[in-house]
Amino acid sequence: QVQLQESGPGLVKPSETLSLTCTVSGGSVSSGNYHWTWIRQPPGEGLEWVGYIYYSGSTNYNPSLKSRVTISVDTSKNQFSLKLSSVTAADTAVYYCARADNWNEVAYWGQGTLVTVSS
Amino acid sequence: SYVLTQPPSVSVAPGQTARITCGGNNIGSKTVHWYQQRPGQAPVLVIYYDSDRPSGIPERFSGSNSGNTATLTISSVEAGDEADYYCQVWDTSTDHRNVFGTGTKVTVL
C-alpha cells in the first residue's frame, strides 16, 4: 500500500519561498505511469491542483501558479518536493502530496500539512 | 479555463438517495473522478473513470457522465456519508491541467 507523508515548515513569511517534501513508502517514485502531485486547499475552501512531476522529471503546473512553482523529484530518497516562491497570505492552505494514476485520478493522498503565510 | 460547477449543498434523509451534479462544457467527453472529504481528513477517491469504484468503496456509490453533466449517486444514504464531495477532470480544452469542482456539502438529516 502506497503511503505519502508531507514535511516542511508550517509557517512562512510573505515574499519568501514555501518548501515542502513528500516522502513515499510502499512504492517507488521512479516506476510506473504515475503523476506525483501536489494539491492545496485554503481553509474552508475547495481543492486546487498545483502540479505534478512524472518519474522522468517532466512537469506540468497549474497555469495560475506556473511562474512561482517548481516540483522536483529525488529518486535516491524516494521523495518529491514543492517550491512556491513569493508567497502571500493567499497561499495559506493545507498542502497535500498525492499520486495520480492512469486517468489522472488521485488514488493516494498524504494526510496534508497546513502552511500559513504570515509575518 | 475550464470550470466545473457543483451545487453548494445537498440534504438527504437516511436511507434515501443523494445525487450530486457536476456541470461542465461537454463534460461527457471527459473522464470524471469523484472524491469524498470528511472534516479534517484528506479526500478519498470514491469513483474514477466516470463510474468505476475503487476497492473498498461500497456499491451504494455510483457515477454517470453525459452531455454537460456528471452525477455522483449515493444510494441508501448513511450518517457516515455526510461529507464534502468534489468532482475532477483532466482538461485539455485550453491547457493541460487537473480541474476540481467547487464542491458539494452533503448533509444527512
Side-chain angles (χ1 to χ4, degrees):
Chain A
Q1 179 79 348
V2 174
Q3 294 184 318
L4 303 100
Q5 178 67 58
E6 306 88 353
S7 60
L11 181 64
V12 181
K13 290 182 168 56
S15 80
E16 295 190 346
T17 296
L18 178 159
S19 296
L20 295 173
T21 296
C22 182
T23 301
V24 180
S25 58
S28 172
V29 296
S30 55
S31 67
N33 188 28
Y34 306 126
H35 292 158
W36 300 99
T37 297
W38 289 96
I39 294 163
R40 70 181 187 176
Q41 185 172 35
E45 298 186 24
L47 300 168
E48 180 180 31
W49 177 71
V50 175
Y52 67 67
I53 189 164
Y54 194 48
Y55 78 96
S56 64
S58 65
T59 55
N60 193 4
Y61 302 136
N62 188 324
S64 68
L65 300 170
K66 189 172 185 176
S67 63
R68 299 193 292 128
V69 172
T70 302
I71 298 176
S72 58
V73 64
D74 186 337
T75 56
S76 67
K77 295 182 179 179
N78 215 31
Q79 296 175 335
F80 62 104
S81 298
L82 169 70
K83 291 188 185 299
L84 181 66
S85 64
S86 303
V87 297
T88 69
D91 295 309
T92 294
V94 174
Y95 284 78
Y96 295 99
C97 64
R99 192 188 87 176
D101 290 1
N102 295 330
W103 296 98
N104 279 293
E105 75 276 22
V106 183
Y108 298 97
W109 298 71
Q111 65 183 27
T113 187
L114 175 63
V115 179
T116 301
V117 178
S118 175
S119 56
Chain B
S1 62
Y2 194 74
V3 176
L4 295 174
T5 302
Q6 299 181 234
S9 62
V10 168
S11 297
V12 59
Q16 299 303 303
T17 297
R19 292 181 179 85
I20 304 160
T21 58
C22 176
N25 185 33
N26 198 25
I27 194 174
S29 67
K30 303 181 186 298
T31 300
V32 180
H33 316 300
W34 290 91
Y35 303 88
Q36 175 194 68
Q37 186 179 32
R38 296 189 173 105
Q41 297 185 19
V44 172
L45 180 69
V46 294
I47 292 290
Y48 68 99
Y49 197 38
D50 293 344
S51 59
D52 288 348
R53 276 177 291 104
S55 60
I57 301 301
E59 292 183 8
R60 302 184 296 105
F61 289 83
S62 63
S64 63
N65 183 22
S66 179
N68 292 318
T69 304
T71 303
L72 172 69
T73 301
I74 311 172
S75 305
S76 303
V77 166
E78 303 173 355
D81 298 331
E82 186 162 291
D84 294 325
Y85 290 83
Y86 295 90
C87 56
Q88 176 228 329
V89 302
W90 176 253
D91 173 48
T92 58
S93 58
T94 51
D95 42 46
H96 290 67
R97 62 170 174 157
N98 272 313
V99 178
F100 286 98
T102 49
T104 298
K105 168 68 175 177
V106 170
T107 299
V108 181
L109 301 171

